Amino acid sequence: MRHVIEPTDLTLEEQSELIAEASLIMRNPSRYAEVCRGKILASLFYEPSTRTRLSFESAMISLGGSVIGFASGDVSSAAKGESIADTIRVAGCYADICAIRHPKEGSALVASQFSTIPVINAGDGGHEHPTQTYTDILTINAVKGRLENMTVGLCGDLKFGRTVHSLIKTLSLHPGNKFLLASPEELAIPDYIKWILRDRGCEFEETRDLEGAIGKMDILYMTRVQKERFFNEEDYVRLKDSYILDMAKLEGAKPDLAILHPLPRVNEISVEVDKDPRAVYFYQAMCGKFVRMALIKKLLDL
Amino acid sequence: MLSIDSIEKGVVIDHIKAGKAMQIYSYLNLDVLDCSVAVIKNAKSAKLGKKDIIKIEDRIDVDLNILGYMDPNITVNVIEGGMITSKLKLTLPDRLVNVIKCKNPRCVTSIEQEIAHVFKLSDKQQKVYRCVYCEQEQK
Ligand SMILES: [Zn+2]
């Protein structure tokens, strides 16, 4: 039995297989509509994350399976006071596979240690979120047709954004990728990520100037700059506009740039950008369902 | 002072910082052994002035890895047939189970009762351990 708690729980080769399988499903979803007939996904969401929950549940239903579980609203009755260990042991009596979202770091690992069914980490308190990373690489692969030899821009909160760290760690394993890291100084990429990049011989550049760097990018991964991350309102107001993507900043960008965002978006991408064919973040959300279909299928050995 | 000749077979944990013997006794779970264990406090030491010593008789299979984490100056002599047959070189253990507690309030160990606090060695030089659940480091 396999669990997926962090992106590297699948080897790079398995990730490639997953992406290939998800691409097949995406091309012909009806062929997979009965694959999980009779199987049940336990969807254990201790905190709100509507988008992730919907994508997991939609993935299982699209495979012909069913979903049980709870969302944060009814946690009080479902699991209040009960340990994660007990909840997962009970879920194993009723379901074949589980997706768990919990605000504490390491919660999914704990679940996997006590579980009789495969556990997928659907986010453990901003710690790991492997299906987001798989979604991102499926999207890039689908749009660009490759995962190597690209200049990858990442913009916004590069300090706390774990999805950004996971994506860099994954893409740096593919040859020839360069990274342009655009963020305010307060939210710059942590040192340990830079060590990984140096260790792997990847070129990277840090910049405060998104507009100046955008012309070199093949991929632009946007994230939200949250007000709470700043010590004072002034810094936030002063800085946030430099990291908001609008049509003016896109002027110097390549015609085949792909703009990604893990969603939900607040204001970091101006809505006028949505109409631009380079904006692929809603397509990315769709990819999220297909990659989860492929993952559920794999973990259930179907 | 007791001398090591007095045991035929066993382990002598020497050069323990004075006053730390009981802490080590409890981390090594020596209380559950049914062989004889001697704890010597404040023995004279040329190197340390004062030191503690623990002697475990008859057993040489006690897991002593944790000592490398607690104090790398500790020396361990294995005695067989009344002779020191080897001196164990203490290294930092790869894992620490229930030795240190994770201090990260966002960590699952802060709410989940029945799990062990487990740390993995992530940097030998700097003696850095990371919580296996949240990856928070502890030196
Ligand atoms: Zn922890």
Side-chain angles (χ1 to χ4, degrees):
Chain A
M1 184 178 56
R2 298 277 300 272
H3 307 287
V4 172
I5 307 304
E6 49 181 61
T8 49
D9 284 340
L10 295 185
T11 64
L12 209 55
E13 198 187 338
E14 287 175 315
Q15 290 181 30
S16 301
E17 288 164 12
L18 186 79
I19 299 309
E21 174 93 310
S23 307
L24 285 177
I25 298 173
M26 192 156 32
R27 242 170 276 149
N28 196 352
S30 59
R31 264 192 60 197
Y32 297 82
E34 300 289 324
V35 167
C36 286
R37 166 89 36 224
K39 300 289 184 189
I40 296 173
L41 167 78
S43 168
L44 312 179
F45 276 65
Y46 289 82
E47 64 171 5
S49 178
T50 313
R51 195 177 37 85
T52 305
R53 186 168 62 84
L54 292 181
S55 69
F56 267 106
E57 298 185 356
S58 169
M60 190 52 165
I61 292 164
S62 302
L63 289 166
S66 320
V67 177
I68 58 171
F70 54 80
S72 56
D74 35 67
V75 166
S76 51
S77 55
K80 194 183 177 189
E82 188 177 55
S83 67
I84 296 166
D86 283 0
T87 305
I88 196 72
R89 282 186 281 225
V90 171
C93 304
Y94 304 132
D96 303 284
I97 188 165
C98 157
I100 180 171
R101 172 94 172 198
H102 190 287
K104 292 288 183 186
E105 298 171 11
S107 48
L109 179 61
V110 170
S112 71
Q113 288 169 346
F114 293 91
S115 183
T116 54
I117 55 174
V119 172
I120 304 172
N121 183 3
D124 57 343
H127 175 226
E128 296 286 0
H129 194 357
T131 55
Q132 181 66 53
T133 305
Y134 301 156
T135 299
D136 298 342
I137 56 175
L138 172 63
T139 310
I140 293 170
N141 191 66
V143 174
K144 306 301 272 186
R146 65 180 197 276
L147 291 172
E148 69 280 328
N149 298 318
M150 290 181 295
T151 299
V152 183
L154 299 111
C155 174
D157 178 357
L158 306 185
K159 184 176 183 184
F160 298 100
R162 285 280 189 142
T163 53
V164 165
H165 303 166
S166 295
L167 183 61
I168 295 175
K169 283 195 259 180
T170 304
L171 285 178
S172 62
L173 291 169
H174 295 270
N177 287 329
K178 293 178 199 157
F179 298 88
L180 287 174
L181 308 165
S183 73
E185 201 170 348
E186 292 86 339
L187 298 176
I189 200 90
D191 286 340
Y192 91 95
I193 296 286
K194 292 193 240 174
W195 292 328
I196 290 175
L197 288 173
R198 284 192 200 104
D199 206 46
R200 293 177 182 169
C202 291
E203 266 182 60
F204 68 93
E205 196 183 312
E206 292 187 87
T207 175
R208 309 280 162 254
D209 178 16
L210 170 63
E211 204 165 358
I214 202 166
K216 291 179 233 159
M217 297 174 184
D218 300 304
I219 303 285
L220 172 54
Y221 198 95
M222 293 293 298
T223 62
R224 193 157 23 124
V225 173
Q226 285 168 284
K227 208 190 276 181
E228 308 86 86
R229 302 297 192 202
F230 288 88
F231 292 115
N232 60 62
E233 183 99 17
E234 276 161 55
D235 282 351
Y236 171 71
V237 172
R238 178 172 52 84
L239 286 163
K240 75 171 172 62
D241 285 349
S242 333
Y243 303 97
I244 289 179
L245 186 64
D246 54 21
M247 288 312 287
K249 288 200 190 72
L250 267 175
E251 223 152 76
K254 288 184 182 175
D256 64 344
L257 172 73
I259 305 162
L260 283 78
H261 188 298
L263 303 180
R265 150 184 68 174
V266 178
N267 57 2
E268 56 280 4
I269 301 178
S270 154
V271 288
E272 61 184 11
V273 176
D274 297 357
K275 292 191 290 286
D276 192 292
R278 290 170 287 189
V280 300
Y281 29 89
F282 292 113
Y283 177 73
Q284 186 184 359
M286 194 178 75
C287 288
K289 169 177 141 176
F290 293 115
V291 94
R292 288 175 178 102
M293 286 172 77
L295 185 62
I296 290 170
K297 183 172 171 291
K298 177 182 172 61
L299 293 180
L300 288 174
D301 282 320
L302 294 170
Chain B
M1 194 181 121
L2 296 166
S3 67
I4 46 165
D5 319 349
S6 62
I7 62 176
E8 198 46 33
K9 181 185 172 196
V11 175
V12 177
I13 304 167
D14 201 353
H15 299 107
I16 301 168
K17 222 172 135 210
K20 289 284 181 191
M22 286 317 290
Q23 200 184 343
I24 285 170
Y25 183 89
S26 96
Y27 275 129
L28 293 176
N29 295 316
L30 298 181
D31 55 331
V32 301
L33 298 183
D34 47 15
C35 59
S36 74
V37 175
V39 176
I40 299 147
K41 286 180 61 183
N42 299 325
K44 281 199 191 83
S45 160
K47 211 156 80 177
L48 302 169
K50 273 196 291 185
K51 65 177 181 182
D52 289 359
I53 304 170
I54 296 176
K55 295 184 181 192
I56 305 166
E57 206 165 0
D58 291 335
R59 296 278 299 265
I60 54 171
D61 57 346
V62 180
D63 180 6
L64 301 171
N65 267 327
I66 182 73
L67 296 177
Y69 171 76
M70 297 189 63
D71 184 355
N73 295 317
I74 289 173
T75 56
V76 176
N77 295 324
V78 178
I79 316 291
E80 281 170 293
M83 312 264 286
I84 296 176
T85 53
S86 62
K87 285 181 183 283
L88 287 189
K89 182 119 186 60
L90 294 178
T91 52
L92 288 174
D94 291 332
R95 279 159 71 86
L96 297 174
V97 179
N98 286 331
V99 177
I100 42 177
K101 288 209 151 172
C102 185
K103 294 193 185 97
N104 176 4
R106 299 179 309 278
C107 180
V108 68
T109 52
S110 68
I111 55 156
E112 192 79 358
Q113 302 296 327
E114 65 182 297
I115 54 171
H117 285 240
V118 183
F119 282 75
K120 251 187 170 157
L121 183 60
S122 79
D123 185 334
K124 245 184 189 150
Q125 253 89 54
Q126 305 290 320
K127 208 179 165 183
V128 175
Y129 282 85
R130 281 182 193 278
C131 171
V132 296
Y133 298 104
C134 70
E135 293 173 73
Q136 178 106 331
E137 65 170 54
Q138 204 135 337
K139 283 189 185 176

